[in-house]
Amino acid sequence: MPGDRKSASSVPPGLRTLLAYRREWLVKDVVAGVVLTTLLVPQGMAYAELAGLPAITGLYTSVLCLLAYAVFGPSRILVLGPDSSLGPMIAATVLPLIVAGGDSERAVALASMLALMVGAITMLAGVAKLGFIADLISKPTMIGYMNGLALTILIGQLPKLFGFKTDADGLLGEIGDFVQGLADGKAVPAAVAVGGTGIVLILILQRWLPKVPAVLVMVLLAIAATSLFDLGRHGVGLVGELPRGFPPLTFPGVRWDDLGPLFVGALGIALVSLADTISNASAFANRTGQEIRGNEEMTAIGAANVAAGLFQGFPVSTSGSRTAVAERAGARSQITGVVGAALIVLMLVLLPGLFRNLPQPALAAVVITASLSLADLSGTVRLWQQRKAEFLLSIAAFLGVALLGVLPGIAVAVGLSILNVFRRAWWPYNTVLGRVRGLEGYHDVRSYPEAEHLPGLVIHRFDGPLFFANAKAFRNEVTRLALGEPQPVWVLIAAEPVTDVDTTAADELEELDEALNERGISLVFAELKDPVRRKIERYELTRTIDPAHFFPTIEAAVAAYREQTGARWTARDRPPSQDPGQDRDQDRDQDRDRDRPASRDQDWSRD
């Protein structure tokens, strides 16, 4: 049995699924494969041109990544292929390395090497179990990044939609050249009609008839319009006849000095691809009852990129829209992708001229409608309504992409996400706690202004680890509380949220305790986690902080303080009651609270 398990684990995940294939799935998988192909072909061609590559490379890429994922992919219905979010990143990496005027063969070689690098990075990440890398971009920054990407794609496709070309770099430059082109009368009316009609048709069909293959319908109508109105003679660019057959296995030849810029681009593409893959795989795994296996997904994405790179392809990612189409069409396994790949190969071998009359503005319409799906305006509005700080992060990521470019934009997005994590650790929420009648535990006085306190006792909660960046802020806040009027006897730290204390923070604590002791104030801790307490002892802080001032619960610390001082609970900013009967009732409540089992503060306030 152990030998059987070992041999089974050595079989790639996709093959394991295929070995357990059910015969009743076949018809549904074949039908879903045919439906999927109607989307794979036009989108593959459109996204290849979005990446600055010949349209045919999009079909080569689609075939190889589908076949590779069928072997190595753990998900039953996840669909891979050229992606609208990666297209601008590929173009931003490859096009600057090509001499002016363009060299399509060199561009293909560079893009293929880029795919090999992305594949190597993601496969290494999968083997090393580095799935957490995909979490380096927070959702707010990803929303901003995608909004910026959507705008960049939209502006970049407008000249193609209007039938002319521009040579500008950067969003502002492209906007200026497009407006200048319109002013110079470069727009082709027939191209505008085809592209504009295509966008409207796709959006209407997707909105009102979601089961109809909107992109295929638009493409077929555009081809029919070319034949009927002879659009080529009216200045509309056409795709033309595709090369017949399939490319041989080829290792891309690039110069040594190209490898550095390609590697930088590959890192950004791999990060976006991993984040996209993990999110899509998780979403569809939840819907189909599968378990998400992030490291296997990364290895499979890597294998798909390597396969594409060896056959004149470019980097790929998962596609939520194409996966949804396959799911709605009844897909049960990766046989759906295999059928799609086989149909594309048959088209290239037998019918390479099938799309020769496809207008270029129609491909621009495909890309533009895809870019609209990338934008998340409702998510941006929700961030504004719910949390202004994360809204600003989203806007900063958006501006990074729009003003600096796609690759710098991803660096900005990652940097902002990391800085946001550091900001929260640097300035964690901290507050004073009090007792609220009718509620167990101790609660934030900001949320409960009526909370009671014990004279001479300040209960302070600091919601984060103590480390070099926030240790001084912690010391300053405790010092401020200690200098209040009247001066406290104890400053009790509700330390459950303190998950760590580094050496810098330990030095600050020692100096803080000595300063408080000089004023006759004790620094006391409650609910400090055992690993953190052991660090405190290792730092020899108990030389200055009395070991008796560490309590397992806040209730235990409060009971010790009351026993030492005889203090009674009183309303904040109000003198104790002069009614002896009320005082006796209050004392009875306090005694009951002291005897009650410890409960933890459940009021985790908003920051």
Side-chain angles (χ1 to χ4, degrees):
M1 289 297 291
D4 292 341
R5 283 196 297 270
K6 184 175 180 180
S7 61
S9 63
S10 64
V11 177
L15 287 184
R16 289 203 300 268
T17 301
L18 293 178
L19 290 174
Y21 192 79
R22 300 179 186 176
R23 183 177 302 176
E24 60 267 24
W25 292 351
L26 184 59
V27 173
K28 291 184 177 180
D29 277 338
V30 171
V31 172
V34 173
V35 173
L36 182 62
T37 306
T38 64
L39 190 62
L40 292 172
V41 173
Q43 283 194 344
M45 296 167 67
Y47 297 160
E49 295 197 344
L50 175 62
L53 302 168
I56 186 65
T57 60
L59 302 184
Y60 299 158
T61 301
S62 298
V63 170
L64 268 303
C65 71
L66 289 172
L67 294 177
Y69 191 83
V71 174
F72 295 98
S75 174
R76 285 184 180 177
I77 63 171
L78 205 62
V79 177
L80 272 65
D83 188 69
S84 58
S85 64
L86 299 188
M89 301 181 73
I90 298 168
T93 305
V94 170
L95 296 185
L97 301 178
I98 304 173
V99 296
D103 180 346
S104 61
E105 290 186 5
R106 177 163 160 74
V108 170
L110 290 169
S112 297
M113 179 58 74
L114 189 62
L116 293 178
M117 288 183 171
V118 171
I121 291 169
T122 50
M123 289 177 74
L124 286 174
V127 171
K129 303 186 185 304
L130 300 178
F132 67 89
I133 291 177
D135 298 329
L136 286 179
I137 308 181
S138 66
K139 187 168 183 178
T141 48
M142 179 60 86
I143 288 175
Y145 173 78
M146 285 299 180
N147 286 341
L149 195 62
L151 180 62
T152 300
I153 294 172
L154 177 62
I155 297 300
Q157 291 296 304
L158 286 179
K160 186 175 179 180
L161 189 75
F162 280 70
F164 63 92
K165 294 182 179 180
T166 61
D167 297 322
D169 291 326
L171 183 65
L172 297 179
E174 289 180 345
I175 292 174
D177 275 19
F178 174 67
V179 173
Q180 187 61 47
L182 292 180
D184 294 341
K186 293 182 179 180
V188 179
V192 176
V194 171
T197 303
I199 292 174
V200 172
L201 183 62
I202 291 175
L203 294 177
I204 289 176
L205 290 178
Q206 288 179 341
R207 175 67 178 85
W208 299 107
L209 296 171
K211 292 186 177 181
V212 174
V215 173
L216 177 63
V217 171
M218 187 277 293
V219 165
L220 293 178
L221 291 177
I223 293 174
T226 299
S227 303
L228 184 62
F229 300 107
D230 200 6
L231 296 179
R233 290 192 177 183
H234 289 81
V236 178
L238 304 177
V239 170
E241 187 155 338
L242 299 175
R244 182 182 294 273
F246 204 75
L249 174 68
T250 306
F251 190 84
V254 299
R255 297 195 294 258
W256 283 105
D257 56 355
D258 293 330
L259 297 180
L262 287 175
F263 182 73
V264 173
L267 286 175
I269 292 170
L271 182 58
V272 172
S273 178
L274 289 179
D276 197 30
T277 297
I278 296 301
S279 61
N280 280 324
S282 300
F284 285 97
N286 290 336
R287 289 162 62 171
T288 58
Q290 284 187 271
E291 179 184 353
I292 176 67
R293 299 194 290 272
N295 294 315
E296 288 185 356
E297 288 289 0
M298 287 190 290
T299 304
I301 291 293
N305 276 283
V306 169
L310 293 175
F311 288 87
Q312 299 183 21
F314 51 85
V316 299
S317 181
T318 56
S319 169
S321 62
R322 290 190 285 272
T323 303
V325 167
E327 183 186 47
R328 287 198 302 266
R332 292 293 182 270
S333 75
Q334 286 298 324
I335 292 296
T336 294
V338 173
V339 171
L343 291 176
I344 294 175
V345 171
L346 288 175
M347 186 199 77
L348 291 174
V349 173
L350 303 177
L351 299 169
L354 185 62
F355 291 96
R356 64 174 176 269
N357 288 331
L358 177 60
Q360 290 286 356
L363 291 180
V366 173
V367 174
I368 288 174
T369 53
S371 73
L372 296 178
S373 68
L374 292 178
D376 189 357
L377 298 182
S378 62
T380 305
V381 172
R382 187 171 62 253
L383 289 175
W384 169 259
Q385 294 171 340
Q386 296 178 349
R387 193 158 183 171
K388 299 296 189 295
E390 295 196 344
F391 169 79
L392 293 176
L393 284 174
S394 179
I395 294 300
F398 168 80
L399 293 175
V401 177
L403 300 180
L404 301 179
V406 176
L407 288 178
I410 190 64
V412 169
V414 173
L416 288 174
S417 294
I418 294 174
L419 285 176
N420 191 35
V421 172
F422 187 72
R423 177 189 67 84
R424 294 184 184 184
W426 189 4
W427 296 318
Y429 185 79
N430 64 97
T431 188
V432 172
L433 304 180
R435 191 185 75 159
V436 180
R437 286 185 175 273
L439 292 178
E440 292 187 355
Y442 299 86
H443 303 273
D444 189 343
V445 298
R446 296 173 185 170
S447 299
Y448 297 92
E450 74 280 8
E452 299 173 329
H453 75 290
L454 288 172
L457 175 67
V458 174
I459 306 176
H460 177 59
R461 191 182 70 206
F462 189 82
D463 290 352
L466 276 170
F467 68 115
F468 66 92
N470 64 22
K472 191 170 289 295
F474 171 83
R475 176 179 174 176
N476 291 340
E477 179 63 16
V478 172
T479 300
R480 185 188 68 81
L481 294 171
L483 295 177
E485 292 292 342
Q487 177 177 294
V489 178
W490 279 16
V491 176
L492 171 61
I493 308 300
E496 184 184 24
V498 179
T499 56
D500 191 19
V501 175
D502 71 1
T503 55
T504 303
D507 291 340
E508 292 285 349
L509 285 175
E510 184 174 10
E511 294 175 8
L512 174 63
D513 185 61
E514 291 174 348
L516 293 179
N517 287 341
E518 290 178 1
R519 301 179 63 89
I521 303 172
S522 297
L523 183 63
V524 182
F525 292 86
E527 299 186 346
L528 197 65
K529 291 178 170 60
D530 289 342
V532 182
R533 173 68 187 274
R534 286 194 290 270
K535 289 181 180 179
I536 294 248
E537 293 172 348
R538 191 162 62 246
Y539 299 149
E540 299 183 346
L541 279 178
T542 49
R543 290 176 307 162
T544 57
I545 303 177
D546 188 345
H549 284 169
F550 291 90
F551 293 91
T553 65
I554 298 176
E555 285 82 357
V558 167
Y561 178 78
R562 288 187 59 212
E563 184 174 350
Q564 175 181 318
T565 64
R568 294 179 298 181
W569 289 103
T570 182
R572 291 171 58 82
D573 301 326
R574 289 209 306 263
S577 169
Q578 300 301 314
D579 180 355
Q582 182 175 339
D583 287 341
R584 282 195 301 272
D585 292 342
Q586 186 182 58
D587 288 340
R588 191 163 49 247
D589 291 342
Q590 291 167 348
D591 292 337
R592 186 172 60 250
D593 292 342
R594 180 166 39 189
D595 296 336
R596 186 176 54 207
S599 62
R600 293 183 176 178
D601 175 23
Q602 300 172 359
D603 179 43
W604 293 95
S605 300
R606 305 164 296 278
D607 66 352

